[in-house]
Amino acid sequence: MAVRQNVSPHSYAGHVTTLRDPLTQVLGKKASDTFEKVFGLRTVGDLLRHYPRRYYTRGELTPLDSLSEGDHVTVLAQVAMTSVIGANIPGQRPKAPPGRGPKQRLEVIVTDGTGKLQLTFFAGVGFHAKQLKQGALALFAGTVSSFRGRRQLVHPEYELLPVSAADDRMTTELAEEFANELIPVYPASAKLSSWTISRHIDTVLETLDAGEDPLPAEVRAKHDLWPRELAIRAIHRPTDRDDLRHARQRLKWDEAFTMQAALAQRRHAAAAMPAVPRPPSEDGIAAAFDERLPFTLTEGQRSVGDVIAHDLACAYPMNRLLQGEVGSGKTVVAVRAMLQVVDAGGQAALLAPTEVLAQQHYRSITALLGPLGAAGQLDAGQQATRVALLTGSTGVRARRSALSDVFTGDAGILVGTHALLEDQVQFADLGLVVIDEQHRFGVEQRDALREKVAGSRPHVLVMTATPIPRTVAMTVFGDLEVSTLSELPAGRSPIATHVVPAVERPHYLDRAWQRVREEVAAGRQAYVVCPRIGDADDDGDGADTPEPGPGPDTLFDDAGEGEGQEARRPPLAVLEVAPELAEGPLAGLRVGIMHGRLVPDEKDRVMTAFAAGELDVLVSTTVIEVGVDVSNATVMVIMDAERFGVSQLHQLRGRVGRGRNAGLCLLVTEAPPDSPARERLDAVAATADGFQLSRLDLQQRREGDVLGSAQAGRRSSLKLLRLLADEDLIATAREEAAALVGADPKLADHQALKEAIDDFLGDRRAEFLDKA
Ligand code: ADP
Ligand code: MG
């Protein structure tokens, strides 16, 4: 392999650039300020991780018909024609006196051999005309606009390239570049062109000494990986595609390995913390609870339960993620774990993401416990405990009594929202924290609850209904052990999902409302979901974050961006659809509304009424997305379904078919057939497998969005690694990293790796590692 060496008159012997050097030191203030402003790059390492977006092969021009208006592009193209327009032509009568009249402009048509693109220059006409002669080859950069229906670049920046080795513009330097077959094209902006970036990278590479390799030699040898410096040089200046492949593979490993080593360190530190063991007891409240259960536990519930029971009995904290399909019965698993802790003299807290969910958990847990949860009352069971509820809207008196029960230990279980995190909430002996629907919470919330235990750590169980592909679990939740409930309780009927194309087949929609009426006539209930609330300060996204606290976390919490048709009507809104239905197709039915901006009391009242069957139809936003459990609800009609993300739709439909009766979900959409939006909906209709859908979801979004704030490092940490495509690589890197950290937890003998982790974590290092 031959990596091009840059020999420049500016380099001088003995001067060495390292990855951690500030850019100012190498490029000077002006250039480095621009890099910082445009791309947030500060160090040499940052710049070298600004990898080319693609590589042009000479002779292979950019397809010009694939450019879209508004894009900032860098294209490789050849000049087909150059004409000066509006010029006063010598020998002819001037069209206008010099300096007046219509201004001259230069129009250049460039081509990729088939497609064409127009370049227009209004200034420097003579100069550019001389440069851009017919046949000239250049990189052109600019923002694509449109003029009289033709795409064009106005005043593009350009960089001429020699057309052949015999080109008269050929200097030594250019000749060298010419020998280089692959032309790197960097993510660029109007302020910083690809070739300017390229030149600065050259400057940095001249004196670069990347230092010790963070990846141990054994690991490199075992997995056939290039040394780091070689890979860094090759990804910027590849000789051929083979170079590139090696370079990328190695640099992907850097990302995966560094991240996994950081996570392994965190797991290691967590396991070193003391926790109070909470072993199960033979004849406690947990055993009494099992006896009371109105159903048999599924195989999965039983085996995951055993694993958790074992974890809780250990003297170091459990950190477990329980993932399971919607309706797989996670709550029961959690309650059994909480009761084991209560048996062992401790308390458990259940943290729910919304008021509605907290209230529902409270209701269903007290119902499941029956007399076992009524300590202090006459009919209480012998081993009874108390369940307390605490949310933002808990009244003063109820709040005081909940706080007191929790403080004295009379309440074995506390259910609530973020209100649980407040300082005033003090436990007698918090032994277990259960977090429902983790994707709404970040690591910070877990930490806040952990801190309520002095001297040791509570056990932590995180539950999520969004099935997570293996590698996402390994990265986002890399410090957690993962258990999965894959089967649904027996007797659960599958949910049938159909797409209702409201435009091509309006009668399907009529039929949908008729189905709702039929279900209601049979004594069952329905949801109608809309993307928007529709009140005065509705910003149109209908995303509900009813509780103050962390903003919606980004993991799978998609706002369902539709495909950009111009001038789309606003999404349908609860407050508009509900009255229309009540007066039209659903006239005579009892229609209620539910959304995030109802006051908490009202939310509770509506949910209670719906659960009690006092409402037939609930028109709602996605506030019902997670966990809402009304088993008599059998139909869900989702309006403007294309506005929701794949995983979100899957979550939503999980609200129906929770009982013995078959569930039906209708995805109403105006998206045209064959549009990407429609394909997504078809996919949701075609499969009930949440894992498959979450992969689809992940394919459609950038990793950064997925990792969001839950990710360990800075958003920009993952450049090359793709969570789905690189699954195997990540899994292997994880094993290697775990082995290395196991042997050298402080990385005392792996200084370079330690530094790489520091760089990877950036500002978040302290919270990430020290709060493990
Ligand atoms: P999710 O995993 O979506 O949170 P839940 O815990 O809310 O699911 O359970 C869904 C419903 O299934 C609840 O009504 C629950 O009581 C019921 N359920 C849980 N486990 C079983 C089981 N083994 N057999 C029958 N029904 C069950
Ligand atoms: Mg649940």
Side-chain angles (χ1 to χ4, degrees), residues 696-768:
L696 184 75
D697 217 8
L698 194 54
Q699 275 158 14
Q700 294 178 341
R701 54 185 64 237
R702 303 230 351 253
E703 262 72 4
D705 303 337
V706 177
L707 297 174
S709 61
Q711 194 210 340
R714 282 176 287 170
R715 217 164 245 264
S716 58
S717 307
L718 295 190
K719 299 280 191 187
L720 298 172
L721 204 61
R722 293 290 166 260
L723 294 179
L724 284 182
D726 298 318
E727 246 173 357
D728 292 346
L729 190 159
I730 294 172
T732 317
R734 180 179 170 87
E735 276 167 34
E736 294 287 1
L740 188 143
V741 170
D744 179 13
K746 296 251 174 293
L747 300 180
D749 297 331
H750 298 88
Q751 212 48 43
L753 176 59
K754 205 167 157 193
E755 279 182 21
I757 292 177
D758 284 351
D759 293 346
F760 176 78
L761 293 175
D763 307 337
R764 300 196 52 178
R765 187 184 189 287
E767 17 170 338
F768 184 75

Side-chain angles (χ1 to χ4, degrees), residues 452-464:
K452 295 199 177 289
V453 182
S456 70
R457 288 296 162 108
H459 299 283
V460 175
L461 178 67
V462 174
M463 304 195 286
T464 174

Side-chain angles (χ1 to χ4, degrees), residues 310-624:
H310 173 265
D311 283 356
L312 292 174
C314 291
Y316 56 89
M318 167 172 84
N319 278 300
R320 187 165 291 280
L321 173 71
L322 173 58
Q323 58 171 342
E325 275 288 356
V326 199
S328 57
K330 294 182 290 293
T331 315
V332 177
V333 174
V335 173
R336 294 178 77 231
M338 294 196 278
L339 295 178
Q340 174 175 334
V341 169
V342 172
D343 275 335
Q347 292 166 292
L350 170 60
L351 182 60
T354 64
E355 186 95 30
V356 168
L357 264 188
Q359 263 150 5
Q360 180 186 287
H361 272 309
Y362 176 75
R363 272 196 303 268
S364 63
I365 290 174
T366 44
L368 280 170
L369 282 171
L372 293 174
Q377 290 173 29
L378 274 182
D379 58 347
Q382 220 184 349
Q383 306 96 333
T385 186
R386 222 177 269 169
V387 184
L389 173 69
L390 193 65
T391 70
S393 68
T394 305
V396 180
R397 181 118 36 100
R399 181 183 159 81
R400 201 178 300 138
S401 109
L403 287 178
S404 143
D405 280 356
V406 169
F407 183 71
T408 58
D410 287 347
I413 295 177
L414 175 61
V415 178
T417 52
H418 303 91
L420 293 191
L421 307 177
E422 289 162 16
D423 286 343
Q424 297 96 308
V425 184
Q426 286 181 13
F427 291 84
D429 181 10
L430 179 61
L432 170 66
V433 174
V434 179
I435 302 178
D436 195 17
E437 309 299 352
Q438 161 82 13
H439 65 292
R440 301 263 169 141
F441 295 105
V443 176
E444 291 78 10
Q445 278 70 41
R446 255 196 274 159
D447 290 339
L449 266 173
R450 279 182 175 145
E451 272 155 22
K452 295 199 177 289
V453 182
S456 70
R457 288 296 162 108
H459 299 283
V460 175
L461 178 67
V462 174
M463 304 195 286
T464 174
T466 307
I468 300 170
R470 196 168 57 122
T471 41
V472 180
M474 279 182 197
T475 42
V476 180
F477 302 115
D479 57 335
L480 302 176
E481 310 289 338
V482 180
S483 296
T484 305
L485 284 181
S486 43
E487 70 194 303
L488 297 185
R492 206 52 78 61
S493 10
I495 303 162
T497 304
H498 301 287
V499 177
V500 177
V503 178
E504 312 118 73
R505 305 229 193 282
H507 62 280
Y508 279 25
L509 188 56
D510 300 339
R511 177 80 189 113
W513 300 126
Q514 198 183 323
R515 285 289 291 127
V516 170
R517 300 193 71 102
E518 285 165 18
E519 289 295 311
V520 171
R524 296 191 273 273
Q525 293 161 283
Y527 296 103
V528 177
V529 181
C530 303
R532 205 160 58 92
I533 299 173
D535 59 3
D537 40 271
D538 196 347
D539 53 11
D541 67 9
D544 287 287
T545 25
E547 292 269 324
D553 216 333
T554 41
L555 179 69
F556 298 119
D557 196 17
D558 33 6
E561 72 283 12
E563 276 65 25
Q565 308 152 14
E566 268 167 61
R568 293 199 304 181
R569 64 162 169 73
L572 292 171
V574 169
L575 297 179
E576 288 151 18
V577 168
E580 276 170 31
L581 289 176
E583 284 154 29
L586 301 183
L589 307 192
R590 295 166 300 173
V591 177
I593 59 168
M594 180 71 185
H595 59 75
R597 272 200 286 275
L598 289 180
V599 296
D601 272 357
E602 179 68 5
K603 273 186 217 162
D604 189 33
R605 208 188 54 69
V606 173
M607 274 326 290
T608 312
F610 189 66
E614 289 157 18
L615 291 171
D616 300 314
V617 179
L618 193 60
V619 182
S620 172
T621 57
T622 55
V623 72
I624 56 151

Side-chain angles (χ1 to χ4, degrees), residues 172-186:
T172 323
E173 228 168 279
L174 283 175
E176 218 175 289
E177 234 162 67
F178 191 69
N180 209 12
E181 237 186 68
L182 296 170
I183 304 164
V185 179
Y186 290 91

Side-chain angles (χ1 to χ4, degrees), residues 84-141:
V84 179
I85 315 256
N88 291 332
I89 298 164
Q92 291 188 10
R93 205 162 67 93
K95 287 183 184 137
R100 302 258 187 93
K103 270 212 157 157
Q104 272 195 0
R105 65 176 195 275
L106 174 69
E107 283 186 4
V108 178
I109 307 288
V110 297
T111 177
D112 59 9
T114 41
K116 287 194 171 94
L117 180 67
Q118 178 170 314
L119 315 178
T120 310
F121 295 87
F122 297 102
V125 168
F127 172 78
H128 294 302
K130 224 179 264 161
Q131 299 281 312
L132 298 171
K133 291 216 187 75
Q134 192 184 352
L137 183 69
L139 284 169
F140 300 94

